[in-house]
Amino acid sequence: MTAGAPRDRPWLMRTYAGHSTAEASNALYLRNLAKGQTGLSVAFDLPTQTGYDPDHPLARGEVGRVGVPVSHLGDMRRLFEGIPLERTNTSMTINATALWMFALYQVVAEEQGGAPARLQGTTQNDIVKEYLSRGTYVFPPAPSLRLTTDLIAYTVRSAPRWNPVNICSYHLQEAGATPVQEIAYALSTAVAVLDAVRAGGQVSEDDFGEVVGRVSFFVNAGVRFVEEMCKMRAFTRLWDGITRERYGIEDARQRRFRYGVQVNSLGLTEAQPENNVQRIVLEMLAVTLSKDARARAVQLPAWNEALGLPRPWDQQWSLRIQQVLAHESDLLEYPDLFEGSPVVEAKVTELAEGARAEMERVEREGGLLAAVESGYLKGRLVASHAERRAAVESGAAKVVGVNCYEQTEPSPLTADLSTAVLTVDPETEAGVVSALARWRAGRDDARVRETLAALEKAAAGTENLMDASLRCARAGVTTGEWAGALRAVFGEFRAPTGVGGAPVGEAAPAGSPLAAVRVRVDRTAADLGVGRLRLLVGKPGLDGHSNGAEQIAVRARDAGFEVVYQGIRLTPEQIVSAALAEDVHCVGLSVLSGAHTALVPDVLERLRGAGAGDVPVVVGGIIPAADADALRAAGVAAVFTPKDFGITEIIGRIVTCVRQANRLDPQEVPA
């Protein structure tokens, strides 16, 4: 250790957690804090994220699956029971409904005797990446940005230790962003938010530096850990320049690039999942090795996330990885290890210059919101993701245990797949819905109507929506009612899919796998006497992870299919209606939230009821083996999981399903 140099303090250690019910999640948080976790990171379920109550039709199968349902003040109370919010650093991964969740959180803190001014933590509150990657948006971009800036302005006045916006590039990388794109689009988002705050006039110029100083970022770190470390240094350099030059911030503390990280979940594999442990460690090094660009909060996925929902033991393993690095290694004893390195400096410069150029292209598109609405940004991400998938499929990008070194010994970790992941009791949803009915029955309905009317009036005007939302929270308004009032004023939005504008993902020279699939597609269309085979790609429920669906749609199009893809957030009824209207030859459903057990059988039953039971249905997603068997028994023609990385092969198997369903090749082996 350098003589006299202070040991750097460890970063906040979190695990991203929440499932089933507020009570179950509260017990999990208390256990994690007792194990040495130093901050909480709340995962909300999809109905909560998208502004629906648990009894809404779109919430079916989604309640408590990927996070905790928080429908009203009572849920928030139970979620943090026994946890003093004044002394807890809480990160909430919430965007479209961020202002509402913070209102509920603040009221619970007040009930505990706490003051908003002493609350510490973060609301993600970055709606832009929802349009591009995660899909939990509700309102059009302009009113969504208003909600973001209203929360920022409120916290600057009333909760100055809270980070009201956490610009999230994490999901951009998951959606295909290169390091240059991740930097450029995240910083462009931050600029759009700060410009909107300044233009809104709610914050004085004297206080604007406080707004800049409370902007934080949430990034992704992939396994190319040298490049990822350089990415963080490039982020730091560019943010320092933007805040000084564009906004005139002189205080170096307010210009600091403050970020938390979740390392890459996209790269975790179902095949040989034990390899995910070393991937997670390498990815964590990318954001901890460099002191001058070190993350101040880290949460790690679990080794089995490609298989299903991690158990508490799996999350503990990931927490212990952080603790060993922070407390057993000598990492925190040294100044920056890379200062003066010509190799690192060259890579940082390359990334920074590339990001500046891409930010300038976004400006030429009319700015960030215009680039979202036009589909420019989504199209760039879909194209980048197609290139990355093609590299894995061809073997140019090596993934150990997937496309190389595939021979393996049996793993004791997955010897019993039924116990290798946490399963959410399907009866949980009914219990949550019943509890919601009891909550509504115990409210003062007149007060609820009054506060919702005031919220609508505020939304139709220009006043900050936080005060009206706090009144709604105290009156017992539900998440769906709050969002419904705003939907009535703002309307809803469907983001561009990016599929139509994506270039051909892979060339198809004679003799290539894609060329062979194209021949089979054309032959099958001819055998059926149709011009082209038609494939409907559907996203039932509230799952907004559309990356896989988009890549299937692009590759099917390139293989000669006519593709029907209407984007995310569809009911089974809407999917079946589209399948019938378009007279498709196959329905492909993508579900990553765990709702496949409820939604896929519904689609099958509706197709049969409409006389289209002979149309094959295939399903892709994070689907445990037992669930896959059940889906096939219910009539699903093929199930694809993360181990099926070859998209061209998947399209070929879909063609086989079509041929079998139409008895064109009775001798073929089932898909």
Side-chain angles (χ1 to χ4, degrees):
M1 182 172 179
T2 304
R7 179 182 173 87
D8 196 16
R9 63 183 173 88
W11 49 89
L12 275 171
M13 298 183 191
R14 296 183 168 121
T15 50
Y16 182 52
H19 65 83
S20 301
T21 64
E23 293 88 346
S25 299
N26 173 260
L28 179 61
Y29 296 164
L30 290 170
R31 286 201 303 272
N32 286 346
L33 290 169
K35 292 172 183 174
Q37 187 172 299
T38 53
L40 293 177
S41 181
V42 181
F44 295 98
D45 74 354
L46 290 174
T48 303
Q49 293 186 54
T50 52
Y52 292 108
D53 286 332
D55 56 355
H56 191 280
L58 272 171
R60 183 185 174 200
E62 306 280 17
V63 177
R65 288 284 183 179
V66 300
V68 57
V70 176
S71 305
H72 47 72
L73 183 59
D75 286 341
M76 193 67 88
R77 285 173 185 148
R78 291 190 294 274
L79 183 61
F80 291 105
E81 186 174 354
I83 300 173
L85 298 188
E86 268 197 2
R87 302 199 302 272
T88 304
N89 192 302
T90 303
S91 171
M92 293 190 274
T93 303
I94 196 71
N95 297 286
T97 58
L99 186 143
W100 174 241
M101 286 299 119
F102 184 76
L104 295 175
Y105 186 85
Q106 177 181 316
V107 173
V108 170
E110 290 169 348
E111 292 177 346
Q112 292 181 352
R118 291 196 287 271
L119 294 178
Q120 295 184 74
T122 302
T123 34
Q124 194 163 91
N125 200 23
D126 171 10
I127 198 64
V128 171
K129 60 94 177 177
E130 299 301 325
Y131 300 122
L132 300 178
S133 52
R134 182 61 186 84
T136 65
Y137 56 83
V138 177
F139 314 110
S144 293
L145 189 57
R146 174 185 171 185
L147 287 168
T148 297
T149 57
D150 277 1
L151 181 55
I152 291 170
Y154 175 83
T155 55
V156 167
R157 293 192 305 270
S158 302
R161 301 174 72 184
W162 190 267
N163 299 320
V165 62
N166 185 229
I167 305 300
C168 178
S169 67
Y170 174 85
H171 289 102
L172 299 183
Q173 186 181 118
E174 300 274 294
T178 64
V180 162
Q181 289 171 331
E182 186 179 346
I183 297 167
Y185 301 159
L187 294 181
S188 292
T189 299
V191 166
V193 168
L194 288 176
D195 285 355
V197 171
R198 176 175 272 177
Q202 294 190 66
V203 178
S204 68
E205 278 300 315
D206 289 343
D207 290 334
F208 193 73
E210 294 300 319
V211 174
V212 175
R214 299 317 300 178
V215 173
S216 61
F217 293 79
F218 188 71
V219 304
N220 202 327
V223 75
R224 292 171 56 84
F225 73 98
V226 175
E227 182 176 56
E228 294 290 336
M229 183 272 294
C230 292
K231 179 185 78 180
M232 300 321 308
R233 295 174 80 91
F235 253 130
T236 300
R237 179 181 300 177
L238 288 170
W239 183 242
D240 184 78
I242 289 169
T243 52
R244 182 194 297 109
E245 296 161 15
R246 189 181 185 101
Y247 301 113
I249 306 300
E250 298 297 330
D251 188 336
R253 292 172 301 176
Q254 294 176 338
R255 295 200 311 269
R256 187 162 63 94
F257 183 79
R258 300 179 310 113
Y259 77 99
V261 64
Q262 157 107 4
V263 306
N264 190 299
S265 292
L266 179 67
L268 302 183
T269 62
E270 180 183 7
Q272 299 182 27
E274 64 274 9
N275 294 336
N276 294 331
V277 177
Q278 48 264 36
R279 292 185 179 109
I280 290 167
V281 171
L282 289 171
E283 291 164 354
M284 179 177 59
L285 289 176
V287 295
T288 54
L289 275 178
S290 172
K291 182 178 180 181
D292 289 351
R294 181 170 293 151
R296 295 320 316 170
V298 176
Q299 58 191 47
L300 303 181
W303 68 276
N304 55 349
E305 286 199 11
L307 305 176
L309 189 64
R311 302 158 298 187
W313 182 84
D314 306 310
Q315 293 191 322
Q316 175 184 295
W317 191 355
S318 291
L319 175 62
R320 296 293 185 248
I321 290 172
Q322 295 199 59
Q323 291 168 331
V324 168
L325 180 64
H327 301 300
E328 293 188 28
S329 84
D330 59 351
L331 175 68
L332 300 180
E333 297 175 8
Y334 294 92
D336 194 90
L337 303 177
F338 303 101
E339 185 177 354
S341 165
V343 174
V344 169
E345 177 59 29
K347 186 63 178 178
V348 171
T349 299
E350 174 193 327
L351 293 172
E353 291 178 350
R356 283 194 195 97
E358 184 62 21
M359 291 178 73
E360 290 170 0
R361 278 192 285 272
V362 170
E363 286 300 315
R364 290 198 294 273
E365 288 289 320
L368 187 78
L369 293 189
V372 168
E373 292 176 324
S374 71
Y376 168 78
L377 293 180
K378 186 65 173 178
R380 295 276 288 171
L381 293 177
V382 171
S384 294
H385 198 183
E387 291 175 9
R388 184 162 69 191
R389 290 297 300 259
V392 173
E393 204 170 338
S394 69
K398 304 292 185 188
V399 182
V400 174
V402 174
N403 64 1
C404 62
Y405 309 111
E406 297 169 60
Q407 186 174 350
T408 183
E409 298 295 329
S411 170
L413 291 173
T414 56
D416 184 358
L417 284 173
S418 65
T419 62
V421 294
L422 181 69
T423 56
V424 175
D425 186 343
E427 295 303 314
T428 294
E429 183 169 318
V432 172
V433 170
S434 295
L436 175 63
R438 290 193 297 274
W439 175 265
R440 288 186 181 133
R443 303 180 305 182
D444 180 340
D445 287 341
R447 186 181 175 198
V448 168
R449 289 193 298 271
E450 178 186 339
T451 57
L452 285 171
L455 176 65
E456 282 196 40
K457 181 178 179 181
T462 59
E463 69 180 85
N464 190 298
L465 294 174
M466 193 66 198
D467 287 338
S469 296
L470 285 167
R471 290 192 293 272
C472 286
R474 296 184 181 109
V477 165
T478 67
T479 297
E481 291 165 344
W482 176 87
L486 296 185
R487 283 185 171 98
V489 178
F490 297 153
E492 293 191 76
F493 184 72
R494 293 195 70 81
T497 67
V499 169
V504 173
E506 181 184 338
S512 70
L514 183 56
V517 171
R518 282 180 178 172
V519 169
R520 295 188 66 218
V521 170
D522 291 343
R523 188 179 88 225
T524 303
D527 290 346
L528 292 174
V530 298
R532 295 174 70 189
L533 290 186
R534 291 180 295 280
L535 170 67
L536 184 146
V537 177
K539 290 286 297 176
L542 296 176
D543 170 35
H545 282 108
S546 59
N547 306 331
E550 290 155 3
Q551 294 306 309
I552 291 293
V554 169
R555 188 62 56 85
R557 179 203 66 186
D558 297 341
F561 275 91
E562 179 181 334
V563 176
V564 179
Y565 178 55
Q566 298 173 328
I568 64 172
R569 216 176 297 168
L570 300 171
T571 64
E573 182 179 16
Q574 289 171 321
I575 288 172
V576 170
S577 294
L580 297 173
E582 299 290 344
D583 194 21
V584 300
H585 300 97
C586 183
V587 173
L589 303 177
S590 171
V591 186
L592 279 81
S593 65
H596 51 266
T597 54
L599 299 178
V600 174
D602 194 354
V603 171
L604 290 169
E605 290 170 12
R606 290 176 183 277
L607 283 170
R608 290 167 186 150
D614 56 342
V615 176
V617 174
V618 301
V619 181
I622 307 243
I623 302 173
D627 287 356
D629 291 340
L631 291 176
R632 282 188 284 263
V636 168
V639 176
F640 303 102
T641 66
K643 71 178 184 299
D644 301 298
F645 69 92
I647 299 184
T648 301
E649 180 183 347
I650 290 173
I651 302 304
R653 290 175 63 186
I654 290 174
V655 177
T656 297
C657 291
V658 173
R659 295 188 67 82
Q660 289 177 336
N662 290 277
R663 298 178 175 81
L664 298 178
D665 293 316
Q667 76 280 5
E668 282 199 6
V669 178

